[in-house]
Amino acid sequence: MEAPGLVVGAALRAPPPPPPLRCSPRGAADRLLVFSREPRPRLAPLTRCYCSREGKGNARSKPHREGSNSVREWLIFVSLSRLNVKANNDQRIMNLELMSQETYLADERHEGVDIWELFSEAQRNILHLNKQRLVAMEELKKLQDENKSLLQDIEVLETERQGFSIEIAESSRFSELLLRIDTMTISGMVGMTEASDLRKKVIDNRYMIHSVFSDIHHKQDTELLSELQLYLRKPAEKPLHVVHICSEMDPITSRGSLATYVTGLSSALQRKGNLVEVILPKYAGINEDVIHCLRKAEADYESYYGGCWHKNRIWTGISSGVSLTLIEPVQLSYFDRDMLRGYPDDFERFSYFSRASLDYIVKSGKQPDVLHVHNWETAIVGPLFWDIFAHQGLGNTRILLTCQDLTSQCLEVPNMLELCGLDPHKLHRPDRLQDNSETNLVNVLKGGIVYSNKVLLMSSTLPRDMAIQGLGHGLEATLTTHKEKVLVASHGLDGELWDPSKDIYLPQRYSPNDIEGKSFCRKALKRHLGLHSGSSVVVGCICNGDSNTDGLREAVRVALHGGAQVIFMENKGPVMNSTVQALKEELKGDSVMFVEIYDEALEHLIFAGSDIFLCSSFYDPLLQIAMRAIKYGSAPVQINFPSNGSRQTEWHDYPSTALSQYIISTYGDMSLSQALDGIKNNPSQWDWRIKDAMSKVLSWDAECYDLHWEAYSVIRKL
C-alpha cells in the first residue's frame, strides 16, 4: 500500500483526504485486537527547532526605532520575522498532518482495517515528515546565512553613511560660514575688502573649517567675527602629503599596537584636510573584505634587490577613508605566508618591501612631504632614502620614524645590506648602523634613528629624557646623541570602535549624559557568563603575557572580600596564557569567571559591564586599557599598587601628557579596596567622577593629534 502524499504548503491549507481503504476481514481485525498484548502504536510527536520571537507582530509591522540604529534594527527585524513565519508555518503544517493521521487511524480502527498495515503506513508518513523537516531546516539555515550576510552589508552601509554624514556636515559648515560673512558685510560689521579676505581664507582652507569652527550656528555675529579675524591673522598652513610605509594596518592586517596607530593617526590627519597614503605588503592572509574598491593595477613595476630587478604587482584600494597601496612581489614568496613576521628571513622580507616602496614612490612621481616609517621593519627606509633616493626628485621629502617600542631592533651581518643596494663598508660604523653592543653586526633600528629627521617614541606617561633611558633597550647612547630630534607622543583611542554611545557590540548603548545603559550591560554580561545576578560590583581584567600573577591573585582576594565578582579574559589569544591558566587552577568559585577564548564582542561587553578595571600599570606606554575603561565608565585601577605612596608622589612631578596627568591624578593613588569602598559608601560622588571621566576626549583628534602635528610641522621646516 502506498503512503498517502503529504502536502507541505501554506499554514491554512486543509489536510489531504485519506486514501481508499483496503481492509482485512473484520473478524481478523477483531482477533488481532483481542489477542495482541502490545499497546497500539502511536505516532510520536514531531519536534522542530525554530527561532523564538521576542515581540509580537508580523513581518509587515513597523518596529520601534531608536537613534541612528533604526535602519539596522528594522532590517534585522524583517529578517528574523521571515525566519519566524517560516518556522511557525512549518510547525502548523506538521501538527495538522499529525492530527489528520491520528483521525485517519481512528477511523480505520473503527472500520476494522489491518492495524499493522496502518502502522507501517504511519511509519512511512513519519519518514516523509522528517524529510520535510530536514528540508525546512536547510531552508532555515540558508535564511540564517542570508541574515548574517545582511548584517555584514548593514555594517558596511553604516560605515559609508557615517562618512557621508561627515561630508555633509563639513559642506554645511563651509556654506554656513560664507553666508554669515555675507550678512556681516551687508550689516556693515566688516568692509568689502576684509570680507573678501575672509572668504578667500575660508575657501583656501575649506577642509579645515569643520574642525576649526565648531558650533557656529549658535554664535552671535560679533563672536564669530572675532574668531574669523583671529583666524585670518594666523599664517596659512599648507596641508601635508604623508606616506606611511609600514608592516601592518588595522583592520587589514594586525598583530600589535602599530596597526591601530597607523589607522588612527592616518584617519585623524585626513579629517584635518591632509593627504595621507599607506603602503603595505600584500600578505597572503590580508583581510580584503575591509578594503573598498580593491583593484589590481594593469602594469607591473620593477624594484632592485639582491643584484637584479624584480617585478612587483600593485593593488590599490581605500580603508578607513585612507588611500592604500599593496605591493606584491611577482617572483618572490616573501609575503605568501601565514604570519606577518617571525621568520628567519624577516630582514630580507622587509628590506625588500622597503626598497620596493621607495622604487614605487619614485616611479609613480609622488613627492610627499613626509615619509613616515615604523619600527625596525621599515627603518631601513632612512639609509636607503638618503643614500639612493633623495636625489631622484625627492629633495623636499623628509623622514619620520616612529618606535612603538625598542625591544625589537633586527641585528644582521653587515654584508646583508648589499641586498637592497646599500654599502656595508660605509654604514658599518659606530655613528651609523653598527650595533652599540655587538659591534660585528649592524642594527637596522639604530640606522633608522640616525637617518631620520625626527624620531617619535610612543609613551603616554614618560617625558623625553625618561623615555630615552627607560625605553632605550641598548640604544640609550644613540638616542642621547640624537636627542634634539627625539619627541614623545601618545596613542589615541579609536573613537569609532571604542565609544559606548555607538558601540555595535553592546545590547544597549549609553553616554555620560544618559548612563542607564551601563547597568543594562552589566546585567547582560552577568547573564551571558552565568554569574549570579544582583547588585554586586563587577571587576574586569583583560590579561596579557606581562600580567603579574601575584598581583592578580591579591586583586582577586581583595575583590572577593569586598563582595565583588571578577572576570578575566585573554587579550586576543586563541588559548589562555600561563599566567591566566595558573590563576584558573588556583582561584575557583561562583564569583570568579575565566573566559578562555578571546571574543571581540565579549571584550566590549566586559568593558561596558565592569565597574572597575584592572590595569597592569599606569606606566603602560599606550594606556589603551585605562582609556577604554574610562570611556566605558569603569575605574582603572593598578594591579601592582604599591604599599606606600612614593611612586605616586614622583608621578605627579612628571611633565607628561595632559591625558596621563589626568589619569594619574584621578586614579593613580587609588587601590582596589579604596575603589570598592568608594562605590559602596559614596555612590553619588563616585557616579559624578565616572561621568566626568567619560566626557574626556580621548580620541586621535585630541592631544595625541597635536603632538604628532608638532613633529610634522617641525619636519616641514627642516
Side-chain angles (χ1 to χ4, degrees):
M1 172 178 178
E2 295 183 359
L6 298 182
V7 180
V8 178
L12 299 179
R13 187 178 300 173
L21 298 179
R22 294 168 56 187
C23 301
S24 58
R26 178 177 298 274
D30 291 340
R31 286 192 298 273
L32 178 63
L33 292 173
V34 170
F35 294 104
S36 175
R37 297 181 179 271
E38 297 294 329
R40 181 174 63 88
R42 296 190 58 87
L43 292 174
L46 294 180
T47 60
R48 178 175 179 81
C49 297
Y50 60 93
C51 299
S52 62
R53 206 182 315 201
E54 295 292 338
K56 295 182 179 181
N58 53 39
R60 298 177 180 270
S61 62
K62 186 176 182 180
H64 177 64
R65 301 189 177 193
E66 294 183 8
S68 62
N69 209 31
S70 59
V71 175
R72 177 188 180 90
E73 292 178 354
W74 167 244
L75 292 174
I76 293 174
F77 176 85
V78 170
S79 299
L80 292 178
S81 297
R82 290 170 58 196
L83 298 179
N84 291 338
V85 169
K86 172 68 176 174
N88 290 338
N89 285 346
D90 289 346
Q91 183 67 34
R92 292 194 203 98
I93 293 166
M94 292 183 180
N95 289 340
L96 289 173
E97 299 289 0
L98 286 174
M99 292 173 61
S100 173
Q101 290 300 317
E102 289 185 352
T103 303
Y104 175 57
L105 283 176
D107 293 341
E108 293 288 358
R109 185 176 67 250
H110 180 72
E111 296 295 331
V113 298
D114 189 339
I115 195 67
W116 294 116
E117 187 173 352
L118 289 175
F119 177 55
S120 299
E121 186 175 325
Q123 285 183 318
R124 288 193 294 272
N125 285 339
I126 291 174
L127 291 175
H128 178 74
L129 288 173
N130 282 337
K131 290 180 180 179
Q132 293 298 108
R133 176 175 175 270
L134 291 175
V135 171
M137 291 188 69
E138 288 178 0
E139 292 179 359
L140 179 62
K141 178 63 168 58
K142 183 178 179 181
L143 287 173
Q144 288 174 335
D145 293 340
E146 292 176 357
N147 185 56
K148 183 178 179 181
S149 177
L150 179 62
L151 291 177
Q152 294 174 347
D153 292 341
I154 290 172
E155 291 184 6
V156 173
L157 289 173
E158 284 185 342
T159 302
E160 294 176 351
R161 181 172 58 83
Q162 290 171 0
F164 183 66
S165 299
I166 292 174
E167 292 179 3
I168 293 176
E170 291 175 351
S171 178
S172 176
R173 190 69 47 81
F174 170 75
S175 301
E176 183 180 359
L177 194 54
L178 291 177
L179 292 173
R180 292 288 291 273
I181 293 174
D182 293 344
T183 60
M184 293 175 191
T185 309
I186 297 297
S187 64
M189 291 183 63
V190 296
M192 295 177 62
T193 302
E194 184 180 4
S196 178
D197 292 339
L198 287 174
R199 290 191 191 95
K200 186 176 186 306
K201 186 81 171 182
V202 170
I203 292 172
D204 290 344
N205 296 274
R206 173 170 183 169
Y207 297 103
M208 306 282 286
I209 291 301
H210 184 72
S211 58
V212 175
F213 293 96
S214 59
D215 198 24
I216 64 175
H217 183 70
H218 300 288
K219 292 181 178 178
Q220 299 294 326
D221 283 348
T222 53
E223 181 184 0
L224 182 58
L225 177 59
S226 177
E227 291 184 8
L228 279 168
Q229 290 171 336
L230 180 63
Y231 186 64
L232 181 63
R233 290 192 292 269
K234 291 177 61 177
E237 288 185 341
K238 176 188 173 184
L240 283 173
H241 181 191
V242 179
V243 175
H244 291 271
I245 303 177
C246 50
S247 59
E248 54 187 278
M249 178 185 181
D250 188 68
I252 300 168
T253 178
S254 176
R255 183 176 174 180
S257 59
L258 173 60
T260 55
Y261 170 83
V262 171
T263 303
L265 178 59
S266 299
S267 299
L269 284 167
Q270 194 100 322
R271 285 192 293 269
K272 300 292 186 179
N274 302 285
L275 174 61
V276 184
E277 299 180 70
V278 176
I279 302 178
L280 287 171
K282 190 178 188 301
Y283 300 101
I286 205 165
N287 185 3
E288 296 183 359
D289 295 337
V290 297
I291 305 176
H292 300 286
C293 306
L294 179 65
R295 61 181 296 271
K296 180 177 65 175
E298 295 181 0
D300 298 336
Y301 81 99
E302 292 184 334
S303 63
Y304 177 85
Y305 198 78
C308 57
W309 292 84
H310 300 268
K311 286 187 176 181
N312 298 285
R313 187 173 295 117
I314 292 296
W315 298 75
T316 60
I318 299 173
S319 179
S320 302
V322 177
S323 299
L324 180 68
T325 300
L326 305 174
I327 295 179
E328 179 185 16
V330 175
Q331 299 160 322
L332 302 174
S333 59
Y334 281 149
F335 304 108
D336 190 17
R337 305 180 185 181
D338 296 333
M339 300 187 300
L340 269 66
R341 52 185 174 271
Y343 297 98
D345 61 345
D346 275 354
F347 171 78
E348 293 97 310
R349 298 172 68 228
F350 290 106
S351 60
Y352 177 92
F353 166 68
S354 298
R355 172 70 195 244
S357 298
L358 289 170
D359 281 318
Y360 167 74
I361 289 172
V362 169
K363 292 179 181 181
S364 62
K366 297 180 186 293
Q367 294 181 325
D369 297 298
V370 179
L371 287 178
H372 196 156
V373 298
H374 306 269
N375 299 339
W376 78 260
E377 286 85 357
T378 53
I380 199 71
V381 166
L384 281 169
F385 178 83
W386 291 112
D387 282 6
I388 300 174
F389 290 91
H391 65 280
Q392 299 185 36
L394 298 175
N396 295 324
T397 301
R398 298 293 179 263
I399 307 295
L400 174 64
L401 169 67
T402 292
C403 299
Q404 301 293 319
D405 66 74
L406 286 83
T407 55
S408 297
Q409 300 175 12
C410 188
L411 305 185
E412 283 290 344
V413 295
N415 289 340
M416 294 292 285
L417 297 175
E418 293 180 343
L419 291 173
C420 54
L422 292 172
D423 183 356
H425 302 290
K426 180 181 176 182
L427 299 178
H428 189 211
R429 292 169 33 179
D431 60 336
R432 297 189 180 175
L433 271 69
Q434 185 181 51
D435 186 66
N436 296 338
S437 300
E438 301 185 43
T439 56
N440 61 315
L441 302 176
V442 291
N443 187 316
V444 176
L445 185 59
K446 177 183 175 180
I449 295 172
V450 172
Y451 278 86
S452 295
N453 297 101
K454 284 291 177 183
V455 178
L456 280 176
L457 300 181
M458 301 308 298
S459 175
S460 297
T461 55
L462 299 177
R464 183 177 64 176
D465 291 344
M466 295 191 65
I468 288 174
Q469 298 303 318
L471 306 175
H473 294 282
L475 291 174
E476 293 84 358
T478 304
L479 291 169
T480 302
T481 301
H482 297 271
K483 180 178 178 180
E484 295 306 315
K485 64 182 183 183
V486 175
L487 298 172
V488 175
S490 60
H491 274 257
L493 191 65
D494 187 339
E496 293 298 321
L497 181 62
W498 296 101
D499 186 343
S501 66
K502 49 188 175 184
D503 194 327
I504 62 173
Y505 295 117
L506 299 187
Q508 184 168 327
R509 301 173 186 177
Y510 60 95
S511 67
N513 300 323
D514 183 13
I515 204 170
E516 291 299 321
K518 184 168 179 65
S519 60
F520 186 90
C521 290
R522 186 188 301 110
K523 294 176 182 176
L525 175 63
K526 292 183 177 183
R527 183 168 58 251
H528 179 80
L529 296 178
L531 294 170
H532 64 82
S533 59
S535 59
S536 57
V537 173
V538 175
V539 178
C541 182
I542 305 297
C543 299
N544 53 42
D546 299 327
S547 300
N548 181 277
T549 307
D550 294 334
L552 288 173
R553 185 186 299 109
E554 176 63 16
V556 172
R557 186 192 65 79
V558 172
L560 296 180
H561 181 73
Q565 296 171 318
V566 186
I567 300 172
F568 291 100
M569 188 170 81
E570 173 77 4
N571 183 23
K572 287 192 177 181
V575 295
M576 302 180 70
N577 61 42
S578 57
T579 301
V580 180
Q581 188 63 46
L583 285 172
K584 183 184 178 184
E585 295 174 357
E586 182 178 342
L587 303 172
K588 298 180 180 179
D590 296 337
S591 297
V592 183
M593 176 62 64
F594 293 88
V595 180
E596 301 187 17
I597 300 177
Y598 173 79
D599 183 289
E600 184 178 6
L602 183 55
E603 181 185 18
H604 285 246
L605 186 58
I606 291 175
F607 275 104
S610 298
D611 303 281
I612 300 171
F613 224 88
L614 299 178
C615 304
S616 297
S617 171
F618 289 162
Y619 269 118
D620 175 12
L622 308 183
L623 280 180
Q624 290 292 298
I625 297 296
M627 286 195 291
R628 292 174 190 175
I630 288 172
K631 194 65 180 177
Y632 280 70
S634 303
V637 173
Q638 298 175 88
I639 296 174
N640 305 318
F641 187 81
S643 58
N644 58 64
S646 58
R647 189 167 66 177
Q648 280 71 31
T649 303
E650 293 174 2
W651 276 354
H652 293 302
D653 298 330
Y654 288 170
S656 52
T657 63
L659 172 62
S660 63
Q661 288 176 357
Y662 169 77
I663 293 176
I664 290 169
S665 63
T666 307
Y667 301 102
D669 295 329
M670 180 185 296
S671 66
L672 179 56
S673 59
Q674 289 173 331
L676 292 168
D677 291 340
I679 296 175
K680 179 180 179 181
N681 300 327
N682 201 341
S684 59
Q685 183 178 355
W686 181 267
D687 290 344
W688 177 87
R689 174 185 285 186
I690 291 298
K691 292 178 182 178
D692 179 66
M694 289 179 65
S695 64
K696 302 298 180 185
V697 180
L698 307 176
S699 68
W700 275 102
D701 296 287
E703 182 184 20
C704 48
Y705 173 83
D706 296 334
L707 294 170
H708 283 81
W709 184 255
E710 177 186 354
Y712 286 127
S713 300
V714 172
I715 269 190
R716 182 160 54 180
K717 298 174 183 177
L718 295 176

